[in-house]
């Protein structure tokens, strides 16, 4: 089977950043690029040491807004086989379900991260690499985000809070600095730790929310 190529076509970029938060943009992009992959921020090779500290190989993992990233497939090949990949684009879910037929224990589900069709308290790890960032894209002031954007993000975070099992973890990889992002994550049900990744260039941040037992 021919291997997908990395997305490099500038024509698929949105006219404005706020489009990253819309289903219409992603449906069109995945339709235009059916045989590509795109990884926000970091690949599994970059994240493997950190993720290995925070999750077991037998953990039930939900990949939030999976897109056509290589992350799930690379994790599967490294022994993390219980992965539920969710995305609200039925186009990309169909593409990835076909592409990853050789990894049968991993599933692909059309699902909005703001309304997860998952039982409460059942997930060991929820992993997000760029999905909340897409929801946060708007034209306004990053120091004073709109109430609409805050409510939208809160719906997603509340859903993760709901589905996490006791001692479960929500791991979010982002470029967003704590003074912009932490306010959206504060919940009485978990603790928050922040780690920084830097390969000699741009800083990335990993927020690790651990549910109370």
């Amino acid at each position: 089977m021919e291997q997908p190529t990395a997305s490099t076509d500038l024509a698929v970029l949105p006219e404005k950043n706020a489009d990253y938060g819309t289903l219409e943009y992603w449906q069109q992009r995945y339709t235009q690029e059916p045989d590509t992959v795109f990884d926000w921020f970091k690949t599994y090779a970059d994240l493997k040491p950190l993720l290995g500290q925070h999750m077991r190989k037998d953990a039930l993992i939900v990949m939030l807004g999976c897109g056509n990233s290589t992350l799930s497939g690379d994790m599967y090949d490294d022994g993390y086989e219980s992965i539920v990949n969710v995305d609200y684009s039925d186009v990309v879910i169909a593409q990835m379900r076909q592409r990853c037929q050789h990894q049968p224990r991993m599933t692909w589900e059309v699902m909005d991260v703001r309304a997860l069709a998952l039982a409460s308290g059942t997930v060991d790890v929820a992993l997000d690499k760029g999905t909340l960032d897409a929801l946060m894209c708007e034209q306004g002031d990053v120091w004073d985000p709109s109430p609409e954007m805050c409510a939208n993000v809160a719906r997603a975070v509340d859903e993760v809070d709901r589905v996490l099992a006791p001692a479960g973890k929500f791991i979010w990889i982002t470029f967003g600095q704590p003074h912009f992002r932490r306010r959206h994550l504060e919940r009485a049900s978990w603790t928050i730790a922040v780690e920084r990744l830097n390969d000699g260039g741009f800083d990335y941040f990993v927020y690790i929310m651990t549910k109370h037992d």
Side-chain angles (χ1 to χ4, degrees):
M1 183 177 66
E2 186 175 345
Q3 292 298 311
T5 58
S7 173
T8 58
D9 186 358
L10 296 180
V12 302
L13 296 179
E15 293 184 6
K16 55 185 185 297
N17 282 343
D19 290 343
Y20 281 122
T22 68
L23 174 60
E24 292 75 19
Y25 167 72
W26 292 109
Q27 294 284 69
Q28 181 178 359
R29 176 167 174 165
Y30 293 133
T31 300
Q32 286 180 244
E33 295 192 313
D35 301 310
T36 64
V37 297
F38 185 78
D39 276 292
W40 293 97
F41 311 145
K42 295 289 184 179
T43 65
Y44 180 56
D46 302 310
L47 298 170
K48 179 178 177 178
L50 183 141
L51 295 180
Q53 296 173 23
H54 294 287
M55 63 177 76
R56 308 182 314 272
K57 290 287 177 76
D58 63 348
L60 175 59
I61 301 164
V62 172
M63 195 69 67
L64 301 166
C66 59
N68 57 14
S69 168
T70 61
L71 181 60
S72 296
D74 290 345
M75 289 179 64
Y76 189 101
D77 289 341
D78 197 35
Y80 297 96
E81 296 187 349
S82 298
I83 304 176
V84 179
N85 297 280
V86 305
D87 200 288
Y88 66 176
S89 169
D90 59 342
V91 174
V92 79
I93 288 295
Q95 292 169 354
M96 296 303 289
R97 189 178 285 145
Q98 177 70 23
R99 188 179 296 174
C100 297
Q101 290 183 85
H102 62 292
Q103 297 168 316
R105 292 196 62 202
M106 184 162 57
T107 62
W108 303 87
E109 307 292 342
V110 179
M111 206 178 298
D112 192 320
V113 297
R114 295 162 293 190
L116 295 171
L118 301 170
S120 299
T122 58
V123 173
D124 297 315
V125 177
L127 192 54
D128 178 352
K129 188 163 67 74
T131 299
L132 283 183
D133 295 279
L135 293 179
M136 290 179 179
C137 286
E138 64 174 8
Q139 299 302 109
D141 182 356
V142 294
W143 291 99
D144 186 23
S146 71
E148 293 78 13
M149 187 275 276
C150 291
N152 208 26
V153 172
R155 287 172 58 198
V157 176
D158 287 344
E159 276 294 89
V160 175
D161 186 10
R162 178 183 65 79
V163 302
L164 278 185
K169 295 189 178 186
F170 174 24
I171 301 174
W172 178 26
I173 298 103
T174 173
F175 61 83
Q177 298 173 343
H179 50 268
F180 293 124
R181 297 298 198 242
R182 189 175 181 121
R183 73 180 88 171
H184 300 288
L185 301 171
E186 298 285 355
R187 297 293 185 279
S189 56
W190 59 37
T191 59
I192 303 175
V194 184
E195 299 193 27
R196 180 178 298 191
L197 298 176
N198 189 303
D199 57 6
F202 200 77
D203 277 340
Y204 294 93
F205 298 88
V206 182
Y207 297 84
I208 302 139
M209 281 61 68
T210 304
K211 280 280 282 232
H212 301 311
D213 290 332

